[in-house]
Amino acid sequence: MSADVTTALGVDWLLADSLAPITEGDVLQPLYDGAALGELVLPFCSYCALPLDLEQQVCDGCGGHDIAWSRVEPAGIVHAATVMHRREPGLVLASSPYPILDVELGSGHRLVMTTAEPEPSAPAIGDPVHVTFRDLGGVQIPSARPILDPSVTTRTALSQTEARS
Amino acid sequence: MTTSGRVDLVGLGMTEMSITPGAAPQELAREAVDRALADAGITRADVDGLLVGSSQGIRPDRLGVAFAAQGGFGDLRLLEHVEIKGATTIAMVQRAALAIAHGQARTVVCLFADAPLVAGKGAGSTYAHSGGQSGTRGLERASGVLGSVPTYALLAQRWMHVSGARPEDLGAIVTTQRAWAVDNPAAVARKPLSEDDYLASPLISTPLRRLDCARPVNGAVAVIVSNDAAIGHPVRLAVRGTGRSHPVRHRRAGAESWFGGGRRAVDDALEYAGMSRSDLDVAELYDPFSVVTLMLLEEYGLTGTARAGDFVRAGETGRGGSLPTNTGGGQLSGFYLQGMTPLVEAMIQLRADGGGRQVPDASVALVGGIGGRLDHHAALILERAA
């Protein structure tokens, strides 16, 4: 009985806590610090504002090496999507296949994430998503929430969808 | 000793490619080296260079430069651990050929050993548990990206979206390569495969099925590179050209995350060889997943004006096709020993040792290698010496 209560309170819908990232001193610590406050924080070049890869140390646009982690609009579009059927025992708790999305954010970054809650299928390439967080072992992990009505999404995300199609 | 103006591949040794746990990498390496030396008709005393490669992350006892002592070699003039992931094998051959051409070594053993299969765990499980909890990889794993299949599944979905390729194209790659593997005694999967068999294979990560994924093995291969005309297997294979391409991609709006930029490796290798794509008799590509072959055929410009899916479904990569590809079954049906898989098959074909899968009159081969998430491309042109 008590085990069930624990499960209901603190456990991610998808993964075991053992997969929680080590945040302290990690290169992605600014992302996790922002996520703990419910904000999506990603790296930009402080000189030319180019969106950078998560572990990038030097800007490939201007050569700057000062990284500014800044809050971004938690919305984007699906760049690629798969449904993962293989569920590794001991690591994956979900009882059915789960989505993995590569999301292109309005900020220009791309971030791989699963969904905030179980979904019967993955959204399609070009679909808009909202970014929220899952709690995995006390660490907030960016996760997607499909937007069923595309008119709800940001103008930025929509214009990018159109630009590419 | 007679020095040849050419650098040749003069010896090949391989262990059994085992799909069950067994010997440690060092033991496999020793066996492959012994066989390669015997194949070339030499002893360790004739070797003055050793290049070793091994995969990252799975085993703490991975092969390294300590193998010079562990493996019983004498003093060497060249000794390095080469590491650019799946492109390592060709990088080793390239490094050896350059050193030999510059007189810095004469006879170099290029060695790769891997033993990802350990007792009590399947290969998929071993890979799912590796990767750690830090950096971008840690964040991805915390998002369910376990092992390498889901990333290549995302790549596959994106490639199909951009190129118009279809899931049945993946099936055509798989069944075509299996047909080659039927006549490869070293292949781990040799039963003929129909399209229905393919469709019955369980999905791992859409669109990739189990049969779209390589078969990791425990094994080792050693290849001997030399310009000593007095030694070696009777059929000498000349290193005609090598090329590399390391596209540095950034995952941001306006760019693709996983493809583009590898073609230069093939262009450079062909240019160095003074050849063109029409000179290629066989192509042996690095194919950890079916989608990679499909993509590389097109990205490397090997299908003319055809889309890769049409090219493969028309039989062009199979027996009697215009460019027999992955003629031992590749990594999908043959065995996944990283960059050694395509190199071994190219050597077998050019030596005319292919038995039932021999491509008639094969004299020029393209060998490809990729590493990371298509971050590293390496190409090698081999020619059977007259």
Side-chain angles (χ1 to χ4, degrees):
Chain A
M1 190 67 189
S2 60
D4 287 346
V5 172
T6 310
T7 302
L9 282 179
V11 171
D12 178 42
W13 72 270
L14 178 60
L15 300 175
D17 286 356
S18 61
L19 283 167
I22 296 160
T23 61
E24 195 66 31
D26 191 77
V27 63
L28 304 190
Q29 189 174 345
L31 182 149
Y32 295 120
D33 288 348
L37 303 172
E39 295 184 344
L40 185 58
V41 173
L42 292 169
F44 293 85
C45 172
S46 10
Y47 300 100
C48 75
L50 193 68
L52 303 179
D53 294 332
L54 294 179
E55 295 187 28
Q56 197 169 342
Q57 304 295 315
V58 177
C59 175
D60 55 298
C62 75
H65 53 80
D66 190 26
I67 311 296
W69 288 78
S70 308
R71 183 176 171 223
V72 304
E73 185 74 21
I77 54 166
V78 174
H79 180 73
T82 181
V83 175
M84 181 69 168
H85 288 252
R86 186 179 192 286
R87 299 189 305 283
E88 175 65 22
L91 296 182
V92 177
L93 309 177
S95 57
S96 53
Y98 59 94
I100 298 173
L101 315 177
D102 190 28
V103 173
E104 184 170 301
L105 298 154
S107 63
H109 298 87
R110 282 195 196 126
L111 212 51
V112 172
M113 60 187 77
T114 184
T115 48
E117 286 160 21
E119 300 285 344
S121 62
I125 290 175
D127 281 356
V129 294
H130 179 76
V131 179
T132 175
F133 299 93
R134 293 156 44 230
D135 184 310
L136 181 63
V139 182
Q140 300 300 309
I141 307 293
S143 308
R145 199 180 291 285
I147 297 173
L148 298 177
D149 176 1
S151 67
V152 180
T153 195
T154 64
R155 186 170 296 277
T156 318
L158 269 181
S159 64
Q160 279 179 357
T161 311
E162 283 155 9
R164 267 223 305 277
S165 56
Chain B
M1 287 197 283
T2 321
T3 297
S4 157
R6 251 182 15 225
V7 178
D8 295 331
L9 304 188
V10 301
L12 168 65
M14 57 194 289
T15 63
E16 181 199 351
M17 297 300 152
S18 174
I19 53 172
T20 53
Q26 287 73 14
E27 193 181 336
L28 295 165
R30 193 267 311 152
E31 188 182 335
V33 168
D34 285 349
R35 291 184 182 187
L37 292 170
D39 185 63
I42 58 175
T43 69
R44 280 172 175 70
D46 299 305
V47 172
D48 62 0
L50 174 64
L51 300 174
V52 298
S54 51
S55 54
Q56 282 178 310
I58 303 295
R59 292 183 71 123
D61 59 345
R62 65 190 291 207
L63 201 66
V65 290
F67 189 76
Q70 293 161 352
F73 290 89
D75 292 347
L76 299 169
R77 298 174 67 207
L78 176 68
L79 173 63
E80 289 171 16
H81 186 186
V82 180
E83 167 60 350
I84 49 169
K85 304 182 179 180
T88 295
T89 293
I90 292 173
M92 287 196 289
V93 172
Q94 184 180 38
R95 177 76 182 97
L98 287 170
I100 292 166
H102 286 85
Q104 293 170 343
R106 184 173 181 89
T107 298
V108 179
V109 172
C110 299
L111 173 64
F112 183 92
D114 198 15
L117 308 176
V118 294
K121 265 189 185 178
S125 182
T126 299
Y127 288 110
H129 281 272
S130 69
Q133 290 161 273
S134 61
T136 305
R137 191 76 193 102
L139 177 61
E140 288 181 355
R141 296 186 77 234
S143 302
V145 184
L146 304 174
S148 57
V149 185
T151 298
Y152 278 88
L154 289 170
L155 178 155
Q157 299 286 48
R158 186 70 201 170
W159 174 253
M160 292 196 295
H161 178 78
V162 167
S163 73
R166 293 170 290 171
E168 49 265 43
D169 297 338
L170 301 179
I173 291 276
V174 173
T175 54
T176 302
Q177 291 196 191
R178 178 61 64 84
W180 282 118
V182 167
D183 288 312
N184 180 3
V188 300
R190 302 179 60 188
K191 190 169 157 252
L193 199 66
S194 71
E195 199 179 325
D196 286 344
D197 295 332
Y198 168 76
L199 290 173
S201 173
L203 283 163
I204 304 295
S205 190
T206 52
L208 302 180
R209 299 174 182 278
R210 185 175 293 159
L211 288 172
D212 289 299
C213 306
R215 296 290 299 272
V217 294
N218 288 1
V221 171
V223 171
I224 300 176
V225 187
S226 181
N227 69 348
D228 185 346
I231 65 166
H233 187 277
V235 181
R236 303 178 74 86
L237 308 179
V239 176
R240 287 299 184 201
T242 57
R244 298 261 291 273
S245 175
H246 304 273
V248 176
R249 284 186 285 267
H250 293 282
R251 287 174 32 76
R252 66 168 75 101
E256 286 299 335
S257 291
W258 305 289
F259 37 85
R263 183 178 177 137
R264 182 170 180 174
V266 177
D267 288 344
D268 285 356
L270 283 169
E271 187 184 342
Y272 199 85
M275 294 181 186
S276 66
R277 285 168 172 77
S278 62
D279 294 314
L280 301 175
D281 297 314
V282 293
E284 310 296 347
L285 304 178
Y286 194 107
D287 63 323
F289 300 96
S290 57
V291 66
V292 173
T293 308
L294 191 71
M295 199 184 83
L296 292 182
L297 281 168
E298 225 167 275
E299 293 235 298
Y300 289 169
L302 301 174
T303 64
T305 55
R307 297 316 301 236
D310 296 336
F311 190 78
V312 173
R313 275 187 278 105
E316 300 294 3
T317 60
R319 288 167 202 265
S322 59
L323 186 65
T325 299
N326 295 348
T327 52
Q331 295 171 336
L332 298 181
S333 288
F335 54 87
Y336 176 66
L337 198 70
Q338 302 203 11
M340 280 299 182
T341 302
L343 180 59
V344 164
E345 181 60 19
M347 292 184 71
I348 289 172
Q349 287 290 342
L350 297 185
R351 284 178 170 189
D353 285 341
R357 70 184 193 281
Q358 180 62 42
V359 174
D361 304 319
S363 67
V364 177
L366 166 67
V367 188
I370 55 155
R373 295 170 176 180
L374 284 300
D375 299 314
H376 313 290
H377 296 254
L380 166 67
I381 305 291
L382 294 176
E383 184 176 24
R384 179 189 173 105

